[in-house]
Amino acid sequence: MTTAAAIAILSSACSVAAASPRDPAVAADAGPRARTVLAEGWQFNFVGEAGPDAHNPKPENWQQVSVPHTWNRVGYYLSDPQTHVNSAQGVNKAQGVGWYHLSFTPAADGAGKRAFLEFDAASRTAEVWLNGVRLGEHRNPFGRFRLDATDAIRFGQANSLYVKVDNTQPRFGNSTADVLPMTGDFFVRGGLYRPVSLVLANPVHIDLLDSGGPGVYAATRSADAGSATIDLVARLRNDSGAARDVTVDVQLLDDTGKAVARWRHAGQVTPGAPAEIKGALSVVNPRLWNGTADPYLHTLRVEVRGADGALLDALDQRFGIRTMRLDANEGFILNGKRVPLVGVGIHQDTEASDWAVSYDDVAETVDILRDMGANSIRLAHYQHGQPIHELADRHGIVLWDEIGLVTAWTNAKDQVETPDGIRRNARVQLEDLIKQNYNHASVGVWGIANEVDFGPGRPDFLGRPPEVLADPLPLLKDLYGQAKAIDPLRPVVLAQCCEERGLRDVPPVADTVDAVGANRYYGWYYGKPHELGAHLDALRAKRPNQPVSISEIGAGGAPNMQSDNPTGGPIESAGRTQPEAFFSWYHEESWKVMKDRRDLWGIWLWNGFDFGSTVRREGDAQDINTKGVVTYDRKIKKDAFYFYRANWSDKPTVHVTGRRYVDRAYPVTEVRVYSNAPQTVLSVNGREIGRMTDCPDRVCVWSDVRLKPGANRIEAIGAFASGTVADRIDWMLDTAQARSFRIDSGAIVAAKADKRFGSDNFFVGGAAGTADTPGGRGRQPVLVAIAGTNRRDVVASFRSGSAFGYRIPAANGRYRVTLSFIEPKEAQGARVFDVTANGTVALKDFDIHAKAGAPLTAVREQFDADVTGGMLDLQFVARRGEAIVSAIEVEPLAD
């Protein structure tokens, strides 16, 4: 069947299935252009796998939708499902072909105009037919594109618009094989997920077919307090069939509408290829766009008039006068002054809207980040829409824009060179990105790649195990040259993951760009947080003249998973154990390393928000990357959000951490408060515990705070020059926990048992371990069988070492101490140790294997101890091998 025949059949089938959609009409504009947003009345039909049947959607499957629209819903939380939009039953990860249909009637007075269909994005690919005429296709899932519909449109009559989209996962030889990204830790949704419009213009107009861009491009060549020079390029198109004399008048208006600069060009525009006109504006005593301090915007007004003075076309755009540059020693320089960039990377999805986000959705995202104190956003890992660029302009937020070149740049396991199709697609995405966002003052850099230096270290969880190492350098050099040709002023950057981390055969991709970002996860996937500093020093030493930033740093954090001590046991970077307290600790420790480095041109946390990713089964979520400082639904700001707010923002901030850990395991606990107040006061149940001034890194810590049975009100009050700010939370302590300490040794999250245990805490020294084999990416842990206990999960973990102890803040009195042990693997006699309680030997020459008779068999030992100084000091000292303990129970004896 021919495509034309298929479209005819579709028209018939769809008209039968139509449910009387609203008919959008083109409103008559007073200006030379008219725009109609085509949002309502669409019908959608998901076909599925691309192939011979892709043009044959079933008539009964049409459903009415509004645009923006995506058929995909990705990711859901396992905890509290009733409070979330997504659930296991509601997600949709289907990939393939979907059809959209719209019947619309443009006003009859549009005759004589040029008609363009404008799509702000369609994923992954789009083919468009109007009234049976194929207008064209677009193969960039993230960029705006326009198609000339003049010869196909019928003014004053019903028009039938069909759009075929395809988000098939790229594979060698399939329908999307050349469409980036090839892979990535995120899911590429399908659909018309950004707005669609009909645009009418006069035959002589500013070019609407220039890679989705505005057709007029302005760049601040130089600026200071006395003057500024702005370079201009305007592309004019004449579709009238005859040469036309025109005047192009460009004005820069201040916020009162007064012209502060003007440039005029008179000439002739011939039919055919667009004419490119270049000029410049000179501004005296300019008011600069100065980031969050003063995001002042002018209006760039362009008018095209005919020989008779009639207005043929006009365009207004917000424009900020500013200069930006990156310095290897001083970081980011805005208008000649150093401005430390701090912020987050974000994806474009939310739980409620997925990729089909509204302007209000984007505004909410930006408002949350502004509240945190972010002055920069990395728009990862592809081109984002116009709303966030407009909001960033308005609020003074500096953006890192980038294309969808992520990890892989070939699509067959034996390719060593980038296929021509993928190279062309990368160039299309880069040209769309730059031209569509060229005039935004907020855009600081153009990113051409993310983590293409995985090489042999590329993780298998992305679905493409490495067999050969393809060389990315020719592609990166090509893209660098292209970016500089379009925009010589902005730096070209990339984010790399692996250089100087000991991975073999990783190419030095940083040499191909002006500046780099380092995606580093010390303390999460590898190493310790403090090791980041030495690593950055090594990068600086290798290329002392290249600016370096932290483009990603983060950890997983489940807000409904709690720990009593974030260093008490191992987390699972690829598994379920990701408590919020560790997430906060990780960010605190990482910030210590980064905060005073003047040479970093920016710091971006990964991520601002939890986001959908079908390669993740971690924390308390499914198909969600949990590294966001805010949850996917934007409802929970994790504790770490307030840590950064206290450090990045001048807004008075006081935040008590652990508010979701309501039912406490221990009667004595640490209280941690994020506060940027000169003085912070803590009270518990109305009693003042203490005052702290200018807390280091805005973290105020009160140790050994005692709770009473029942409800406990925790209140922190910050004293600011503007007044006091308070934060209050409530914790509960069950009567059974009021004087008891039950410690699950070696566990960062306590296992469930017949009695309530807390996670490992109060320890001094030793190392956490487990008899189980932790699960990896997408794999379940292997749990060993342990004999002699109904608390398998408690005794499976342990703390061990040659000498370690527990200082348990028990109230004075007499206690029964119960210690639980297992021997994980050692033979009898290989592990022998002593246990003392407040200096008194409780267990002498203790050999777990000898006592149990076999490994992986639980043993319990009990003894009584008196506490007189408010502290029970247990010491474990090895005589052979290492001492070990799996659980500690300290329970008061009856008076």
Side-chain angles (χ1 to χ4, degrees), residues 4 105 151 185 275 318 321 323 343 369 404 408 411 420 445 456 516 720 820 891:
T105 303
D151 294 338
D185 185 7
R318 304 292 274 167
I321 304 173
T323 61
L369 298 179
N411 55 18
D420 285 343
V445 299
V516 297
F720 297 88
S820 296
E891 299 176 299

Side-chain angles (χ1 to χ4, degrees), residues 87-119:
S87 66
Q89 295 73 36
V91 298
N92 181 350
K93 297 184 281 186
Q95 292 177 281
V97 172
W99 283 89
Y100 290 87
H101 175 257
L102 178 69
S103 177
F104 68 99
T105 303
D109 61 6
K113 296 279 190 177
R114 303 296 297 182
F116 299 88
L117 285 169
E118 179 180 276
F119 299 81

Side-chain angles (χ1 to χ4, degrees), residues 691-709:
R691 298 169 179 248
M692 292 191 179
T693 58
D694 296 322
C695 299
D697 296 328
R698 309 295 190 256
V699 183
C700 307
V701 181
W702 286 267
S703 302
D704 297 333
V705 175
R706 292 192 175 272
L707 306 178
K708 66 179 179 65

Side-chain angles (χ1 to χ4, degrees), residues 14-80:
C14 190
S15 63
V16 172
S20 301
R22 286 193 293 168
D23 184 19
V26 176
D29 283 359
R33 289 189 185 183
R35 173 184 295 273
T36 299
V37 177
L38 305 176
E40 302 299 331
W42 289 88
Q43 295 180 75
F44 171 70
N45 194 318
F46 182 70
V47 175
E49 183 178 351
D53 292 331
H55 284 273
N56 297 299
K58 295 181 180 179
E60 65 271 19
N61 287 347
W62 289 98
Q63 56 181 298
Q64 194 152 328
V65 300
S66 59
V67 169
H69 172 265
T70 175
W71 65 82
N72 293 124
R73 298 201 71 84
V74 178
Y76 60 94
Y77 291 104
L78 303 175
S79 56
D80 301 327

Side-chain angles (χ1 to χ4, degrees), residues 409-410 412-417 455-456 458 464-471:
W409 55 97
T410 59
K413 293 180 179 180
D414 59 351
Q415 288 175 340
V416 295
E417 295 182 357
R458 183 166 58 242
R464 190 170 179 271
E467 290 189 0
V468 297
L469 177 61
D471 184 3

Side-chain angles (χ1 to χ4, degrees), residues 842-891:
L843 297 176
K844 179 71 173 175
D845 294 333
F846 188 63
D847 183 334
I848 304 170
H849 191 135
K851 183 69 180 272
L856 298 177
T857 300
V859 172
R860 299 179 75 199
E861 295 289 338
Q862 290 185 332
F863 52 86
D864 295 343
D866 292 315
V867 175
T868 58
M871 187 68 63
L872 174 60
D873 187 356
L874 299 177
Q875 293 295 317
F876 298 78
V877 180
R879 290 181 172 273
R880 283 194 299 277
E882 291 189 334
I884 192 171
V885 66
S886 286
I888 301 171
E889 298 172 75
V890 179
E891 299 176 299

